[in-house]
Amino acid sequence: MARKTDIEGRAIEAAMALAEEQGWEKTSYADIAARAGLKIAELYPVFASKTAILAAFSRRIDEQVLAGTDPEDAEEPVRDRLLDVLMRRFEALRPQREAIAAIVKDLPRDPVTAACLARQATGSMRWMLRAAGLDDHGLKGMLRVRALAGVYALSLRVWLNDDSPDLGKTAASLDKNLSRLEGWTGGIGR
């Protein structure tokens, strides 16, 4: 029997490839298992659903972003730190852009998955705040998480169509939306 980490990686890779090829709605759990070269009985103990596979993919992206955090960046302005963290996230997502576009396209027809992924995205934004050196506890922390999730969602739409090598349109969108957030709230870091 394959190791858990091997199963996780194979399932995530299969799920993303199938989403890109045929869309998320048409991709079944059995399709993912078959594409990964796994029996359903091997996949089930690791991932009980397609949504669980997407959540694991998101956590892997979180880990990549967190690994790139430099403690020396703590001296930078808050907006610059947030911009850097979110751009690292978009860079990490770039190899799977077509799959993500297919998943986003199919989400309106799958409200359960959409709700689960919204919860996962909120958790990811909590980690992005932490990576930028911002507190995420209490009411203020909850507001920061939700505000950053909104900025991220707006910029994700731009990112899906940004084919520039440096993701310039995405960076501009993030900068503009973070600036707006500062205007509305007096600064996400305060």
Side-chain angles (χ1 to χ4, degrees), residues 72-153:
E72 291 182 17
D73 291 343
E75 301 304 317
E76 296 293 322
V78 170
R79 187 163 121 204
D80 292 348
R81 285 182 279 159
L82 287 169
L83 182 67
D84 178 60
V85 166
L86 292 177
M87 285 306 296
R88 283 200 321 262
R89 184 172 189 82
F90 284 123
E91 283 291 344
L93 290 169
R94 192 189 292 218
Q96 298 297 337
R97 184 187 346 240
E98 297 304 319
I100 293 166
I103 293 164
V104 168
K105 179 182 170 203
D106 286 348
L107 281 181
R109 292 184 294 280
D110 188 353
V112 173
T113 298
C116 291
L117 291 180
R119 183 172 181 245
Q120 179 65 38
T122 299
S124 290
M125 291 304 105
R126 185 174 301 282
W127 282 106
M128 299 306 99
L129 281 171
R130 291 172 183 169
L134 295 171
D135 185 23
D136 64 309
H137 292 91
L139 180 59
K140 186 184 284 187
M142 181 186 73
L143 292 173
R144 284 181 177 154
V145 169
R146 294 193 185 250
L148 192 60
V151 165
Y152 180 74

